Amino acid sequence: MRLDVRRLEEVSSTNDEAKKLAAGGAAEGLVVIAERQTAGRGRRGRVWQSVPGNLFLSVLLRPKIAPSAAPPLAPAIGLAVALCIEDVAPLSAELKWPNDVRVNGRKVAGVLTESVVSGSTLSAVIAGIGLNVGAELPAELADIATTLSREAVRNVRKSEVEEALLKRISDVYGRFLAGGFAALHAEWQERDVLRGQRVTIDSGARVEGEGAGIAEDGAYLVRVASGEVVRVTAGEVL
Ligand code: BT5
Protein backbone atom coordinates (compact mmCIF):
# COMPACT_ATOMS: atom_id res chain seq x y z
CA MET A 1 0.00 0.00 0.00
CA ARG A 2 1.38 3.38 -1.00
CA LEU A 3 0.71 5.97 1.71
CA ASP A 4 -0.40 9.50 0.93
CA VAL A 5 -0.12 11.52 4.15
CA ARG A 6 -2.22 14.69 4.61
CA ARG A 7 -1.41 16.77 7.68
CA LEU A 8 -4.08 19.03 9.10
CA GLU A 9 -3.96 21.47 11.98
CA GLU A 10 -7.46 20.90 13.37
CA VAL A 11 -10.35 18.61 12.47
CA SER A 12 -13.49 17.39 14.23
CA SER A 13 -12.30 13.79 13.85
CA THR A 14 -9.66 12.36 11.52
CA ASN A 15 -12.13 9.52 10.78
CA ASP A 16 -14.73 12.03 9.56
CA GLU A 17 -12.11 13.79 7.43
CA ALA A 18 -10.92 10.52 5.90
CA LYS A 19 -14.52 9.45 5.27
CA LYS A 20 -15.18 12.70 3.39
CA LEU A 21 -12.08 12.20 1.24
CA ALA A 22 -13.09 8.56 0.66
CA ALA A 23 -16.52 9.69 -0.55
CA GLY A 24 -14.70 12.00 -2.99
CA GLY A 25 -12.86 9.01 -4.45
CA ALA A 26 -9.55 9.10 -2.55
CA ALA A 27 -7.42 6.02 -3.06
CA GLU A 28 -6.44 3.39 -0.52
CA GLY A 29 -3.47 4.51 1.54
CA LEU A 30 -4.68 8.03 2.26
CA VAL A 31 -3.63 8.99 5.79
CA VAL A 32 -5.12 11.94 7.67
CA ILE A 33 -3.06 13.17 10.61
CA ALA A 34 -4.27 16.04 12.74
CA GLU A 35 -2.57 18.06 15.46
CA ARG A 36 -5.91 18.70 17.14
CA GLN A 37 -9.29 16.94 17.18
CA THR A 38 -12.29 18.84 18.49
CA ALA A 39 -14.65 15.83 18.47
CA GLY A 40 -12.48 12.71 18.70
CA ARG A 41 -14.70 9.65 19.01
CA GLY A 42 -14.47 6.17 20.39
CA ARG A 43 -16.98 3.43 19.72
CA ARG A 44 -20.70 3.64 20.52
CA GLY A 45 -20.63 7.43 20.72
CA ARG A 46 -17.94 7.56 23.41
CA VAL A 47 -15.45 10.42 23.54
CA TRP A 48 -11.75 10.05 22.69
CA GLN A 49 -9.86 12.59 24.81
CA SER A 50 -7.64 14.25 22.25
CA VAL A 51 -4.93 16.23 24.02
CA PRO A 52 -2.74 18.09 21.49
CA GLY A 53 0.70 16.49 21.41
CA ASN A 54 -0.75 12.98 21.19
CA LEU A 55 -1.28 11.19 17.89
CA PHE A 56 -4.56 11.15 15.96
CA LEU A 57 -4.64 9.56 12.55
CA SER A 58 -6.89 7.69 10.16
CA VAL A 59 -5.98 5.45 7.26
CA LEU A 60 -8.25 4.79 4.30
CA LEU A 61 -8.33 1.12 3.33
CA ARG A 62 -10.17 -0.36 0.39
CA PRO A 63 -9.81 -4.12 0.86
CA LYS A 64 -11.61 -6.24 -1.73
CA ILE A 65 -13.47 -8.28 0.86
CA ALA A 66 -17.11 -8.67 1.87
CA PRO A 67 -18.51 -6.28 4.50
CA SER A 68 -18.88 -9.27 6.84
CA ALA A 69 -15.11 -9.90 6.61
CA ALA A 70 -14.21 -6.38 7.85
CA PRO A 71 -14.46 -6.77 11.68
CA PRO A 72 -11.03 -8.50 12.07
CA LEU A 73 -9.41 -5.34 10.70
CA ALA A 74 -9.88 -3.75 14.15
CA PRO A 75 -7.72 -6.30 16.01
CA ALA A 76 -5.33 -6.34 13.03
CA ILE A 77 -4.74 -2.60 13.27
CA GLY A 78 -4.48 -3.00 17.05
CA LEU A 79 -1.59 -5.38 16.47
CA ALA A 80 0.10 -2.80 14.22
CA VAL A 81 -0.14 -0.27 17.07
CA ALA A 82 1.28 -2.81 19.55
CA LEU A 83 4.23 -3.59 17.28
CA CYS A 84 4.86 0.13 16.74
CA ILE A 85 4.98 0.71 20.50
CA GLU A 86 7.50 -2.09 20.89
CA ASP A 87 9.57 -0.57 18.05
CA VAL A 88 9.90 2.83 19.70
CA ALA A 89 10.10 2.03 23.41
CA PRO A 90 11.32 -0.77 25.65
CA LEU A 91 7.73 -1.69 26.49
CA SER A 92 5.51 -4.74 26.02
CA ALA A 93 2.17 -3.88 24.51
CA GLU A 94 -0.97 -5.74 25.57
CA LEU A 95 -4.04 -6.23 23.41
CA LYS A 96 -7.58 -6.25 24.72
CA TRP A 97 -10.00 -7.56 22.09
CA PRO A 98 -11.22 -6.09 19.92
CA ASN A 99 -9.59 -2.67 19.81
CA ASP A 100 -7.64 -1.59 22.91
CA VAL A 101 -3.90 -1.36 23.24
CA ARG A 102 -2.50 -1.22 26.75
CA VAL A 103 0.81 -0.92 28.50
CA ASN A 104 1.20 -2.08 32.10
CA GLY A 105 -2.56 -2.55 32.36
CA ARG A 106 -3.55 0.93 31.19
CA LYS A 107 -4.97 1.96 27.83
CA VAL A 108 -2.44 3.80 25.70
CA ALA A 109 -4.26 3.63 22.35
CA GLY A 110 -7.64 2.88 20.82
CA VAL A 111 -8.65 1.84 17.34
CA LEU A 112 -11.92 2.84 15.69
CA THR A 113 -12.63 1.09 12.38
CA GLU A 114 -15.65 2.25 10.40
CA SER A 115 -16.92 0.57 7.25
CA VAL A 116 -18.44 2.36 4.29
CA VAL A 117 -20.77 -0.05 2.50
CA SER A 118 -22.58 0.57 -0.77
CA GLY A 119 -25.14 -2.07 -1.61
CA SER A 120 -23.48 -5.33 -0.71
CA THR A 121 -19.97 -4.03 -1.43
CA LEU A 122 -17.43 -2.83 1.12
CA SER A 123 -16.25 0.40 -0.47
CA ALA A 124 -13.91 1.52 2.33
CA VAL A 125 -12.76 0.94 5.87
CA ILE A 126 -11.53 3.94 7.81
CA ALA A 127 -9.09 2.85 10.49
CA GLY A 128 -8.65 5.56 13.12
CA ILE A 129 -5.99 5.41 15.79
CA GLY A 130 -5.56 7.55 18.85
CA LEU A 131 -2.22 6.96 20.56
CA ASN A 132 -1.17 8.75 23.74
CA VAL A 133 2.43 9.64 23.10
CA GLY A 134 3.37 12.09 25.82
CA ALA A 135 0.78 14.80 26.37
CA GLU A 136 -0.82 14.65 29.84
CA LEU A 137 -4.32 13.17 29.87
CA PRO A 138 -7.28 14.61 31.81
CA ALA A 139 -7.24 13.59 35.49
CA GLU A 140 -10.42 11.51 35.17
CA LEU A 141 -8.52 9.04 32.96
CA ALA A 142 -5.58 8.67 35.37
CA ASP A 143 -6.63 5.21 36.61
CA ILE A 144 -7.39 3.66 33.24
CA ALA A 145 -5.15 5.40 30.71
CA THR A 146 -1.49 6.16 30.20
CA THR A 147 1.02 7.58 27.72
CA LEU A 148 4.14 6.14 26.14
CA SER A 149 6.38 8.76 27.75
CA ARG A 150 5.02 7.97 31.21
CA GLU A 151 5.50 4.22 30.83
CA ALA A 152 8.92 4.46 29.18
CA VAL A 153 10.00 7.07 31.77
CA ARG A 154 11.47 9.26 29.07
CA ASN A 155 10.28 11.57 26.37
CA VAL A 156 9.10 9.60 23.35
CA ARG A 157 9.15 11.63 20.12
CA LYS A 158 5.87 11.86 18.25
CA SER A 159 7.49 11.97 14.79
CA GLU A 160 9.28 8.72 15.51
CA VAL A 161 6.07 7.04 16.71
CA GLU A 162 4.21 8.26 13.65
CA GLU A 163 6.82 6.87 11.28
CA ALA A 164 6.92 3.49 13.03
CA LEU A 165 3.13 3.31 13.11
CA LEU A 166 2.71 3.95 9.38
CA LYS A 167 5.31 1.29 8.60
CA ARG A 168 3.61 -1.25 10.87
CA ILE A 169 0.16 -0.49 9.44
CA SER A 170 1.42 -1.11 5.88
CA ASP A 171 3.14 -4.31 6.96
CA VAL A 172 0.22 -5.71 8.97
CA TYR A 173 -2.38 -4.73 6.35
CA GLY A 174 -0.33 -6.36 3.60
CA ARG A 175 -0.14 -9.57 5.59
CA PHE A 176 -3.88 -9.40 6.34
CA LEU A 177 -4.67 -9.09 2.62
CA ALA A 178 -2.40 -11.98 1.73
CA GLY A 179 -3.31 -14.41 4.49
CA GLY A 180 -6.30 -13.07 6.41
CA PHE A 181 -6.23 -12.60 10.18
CA ALA A 182 -4.63 -16.06 10.46
CA ALA A 183 -1.36 -14.48 9.28
CA LEU A 184 -1.38 -12.25 12.39
CA HIS A 185 -2.91 -14.68 14.84
CA ALA A 186 0.24 -15.85 16.67
CA GLU A 187 1.54 -12.32 17.28
CA TRP A 188 -1.87 -11.18 18.51
CA GLN A 189 -2.25 -14.15 20.82
CA GLU A 190 1.11 -13.44 22.50
CA ARG A 191 -0.23 -10.05 23.62
CA ASP A 192 -3.79 -11.09 24.53
CA VAL A 193 -4.68 -9.86 28.05
CA LEU A 194 -8.12 -11.51 28.27
CA ARG A 195 -6.92 -15.07 27.89
CA GLY A 196 -7.56 -17.03 31.08
CA GLN A 197 -9.45 -14.09 32.63
CA ARG A 198 -13.13 -13.93 33.58
CA VAL A 199 -14.84 -11.96 30.84
CA THR A 200 -18.29 -10.72 29.98
CA ILE A 201 -18.76 -9.71 26.36
CA ASP A 202 -21.80 -7.82 25.13
CA SER A 203 -22.42 -8.87 21.56
CA GLY A 204 -26.11 -8.21 21.49
CA ALA A 205 -26.49 -11.05 23.96
CA ARG A 206 -24.17 -11.32 26.96
CA VAL A 207 -21.52 -14.00 26.87
CA GLU A 208 -19.89 -14.74 30.21
CA GLY A 209 -17.03 -17.10 30.94
CA GLU A 210 -13.28 -17.44 30.66
CA GLY A 211 -11.30 -15.83 27.86
CA ALA A 212 -10.10 -18.69 25.66
CA GLY A 213 -8.08 -16.65 23.20
CA ILE A 214 -8.53 -15.12 19.79
CA ALA A 215 -9.59 -17.38 16.91
CA GLU A 216 -7.69 -17.68 13.62
CA ASP A 217 -10.28 -15.43 11.99
CA GLY A 218 -10.16 -12.67 14.63
CA ALA A 219 -13.30 -13.66 16.57
CA TYR A 220 -12.91 -13.97 20.35
CA LEU A 221 -13.45 -17.30 22.10
CA VAL A 222 -15.14 -17.59 25.49
CA ARG A 223 -15.42 -20.81 27.48
CA VAL A 224 -18.82 -20.63 29.16
CA ALA A 225 -19.97 -22.47 32.31
CA SER A 226 -21.12 -25.57 30.40
CA GLY A 227 -17.57 -25.96 29.05
CA GLU A 228 -18.67 -25.03 25.55
CA VAL A 229 -16.51 -22.50 23.66
CA VAL A 230 -18.57 -19.66 22.20
CA ARG A 231 -17.30 -17.46 19.34
CA VAL A 232 -17.92 -13.72 19.47
CA THR A 233 -17.33 -11.95 16.16
CA ALA A 234 -18.10 -8.40 17.27
CA GLY A 235 -18.79 -6.92 20.64
CA GLU A 236 -17.65 -5.10 23.67
CA VAL A 237 -15.86 -6.46 26.71
CA LEU A 238 -17.59 -5.20 29.86
C1 BT5 B 1 -11.62 3.53 21.25
O1 BT5 B 1 -12.95 3.60 21.58
O2 BT5 B 1 -10.75 3.11 21.97
C2 BT5 B 1 -11.29 4.07 19.86
C3 BT5 B 1 -10.61 5.40 19.91
C4 BT5 B 1 -10.18 5.86 18.55
C5 BT5 B 1 -9.70 7.28 18.57
C6 BT5 B 1 -9.14 7.69 17.24
S1 BT5 B 1 -8.32 9.22 17.28
C7 BT5 B 1 -8.20 9.26 15.56
C8 BT5 B 1 -9.55 8.77 15.06
N1 BT5 B 1 -10.51 9.86 15.00
C9 BT5 B 1 -11.52 9.67 15.87
O3 BT5 B 1 -12.48 10.47 16.03
N2 BT5 B 1 -11.36 8.51 16.53
C10 BT5 B 1 -10.15 7.82 16.11
P1 BT5 B 1 -13.61 2.90 22.84
O4 BT5 B 1 -13.23 1.48 22.89
O5 BT5 B 1 -15.04 3.25 22.72
O6 BT5 B 1 -12.96 3.58 24.07
C11 BT5 B 1 -13.35 4.87 24.51
C12 BT5 B 1 -13.04 4.94 26.00
O7 BT5 B 1 -11.63 5.03 26.20
C13 BT5 B 1 -13.62 6.19 26.67
O8 BT5 B 1 -14.94 5.97 27.07
C14 BT5 B 1 -12.65 6.40 27.84
O9 BT5 B 1 -12.97 5.53 28.90
C15 BT5 B 1 -11.33 5.91 27.28
N3 BT5 B 1 -10.54 7.03 26.72
C16 BT5 B 1 -10.96 8.21 26.20
N4 BT5 B 1 -9.92 8.93 25.76
C17 BT5 B 1 -8.80 8.21 26.04
C18 BT5 B 1 -7.42 8.42 25.84
N5 BT5 B 1 -6.95 9.51 25.26
N6 BT5 B 1 -6.59 7.45 26.26
C19 BT5 B 1 -7.03 6.32 26.83
N7 BT5 B 1 -8.32 6.07 27.06
C20 BT5 B 1 -9.20 7.00 26.66
Side-chain angles (χ1 to χ4, degrees), residues 13-14 37 41-43 46-49 107 110 129 132 145:
S13 149
T14 55
Q37 281 195 134
R41 323 187 247 111
R43 299 182 308 150
R46 288 186 289 251
V47 169
W48 185 256
Q49 297 287 350
K107 182 159 169 172
I129 297 157
N132 302 323

Side-chain angles (χ1 to χ4, degrees), residues 12-16 37 39-44 46-50 54-58 99-100 107-112 128-132 137 141 144-146 236:
S12 54
S13 149
T14 55
N15 266 36
D16 293 345
Q37 281 195 134
R41 323 187 247 111
R43 299 182 308 150
R44 303 186 174 192
R46 288 186 289 251
V47 169
W48 185 256
Q49 297 287 350
S50 305
N54 290 330
L55 187 55
F56 319 109
L57 70 81
S58 298
N99 70 323
D100 280 9
K107 182 159 169 172
V108 74
V111 174
L112 176 68
I129 297 157
L131 174 53
N132 302 323
L137 300 168
L141 288 178
I144 60 160
T146 192
E236 167 94 1

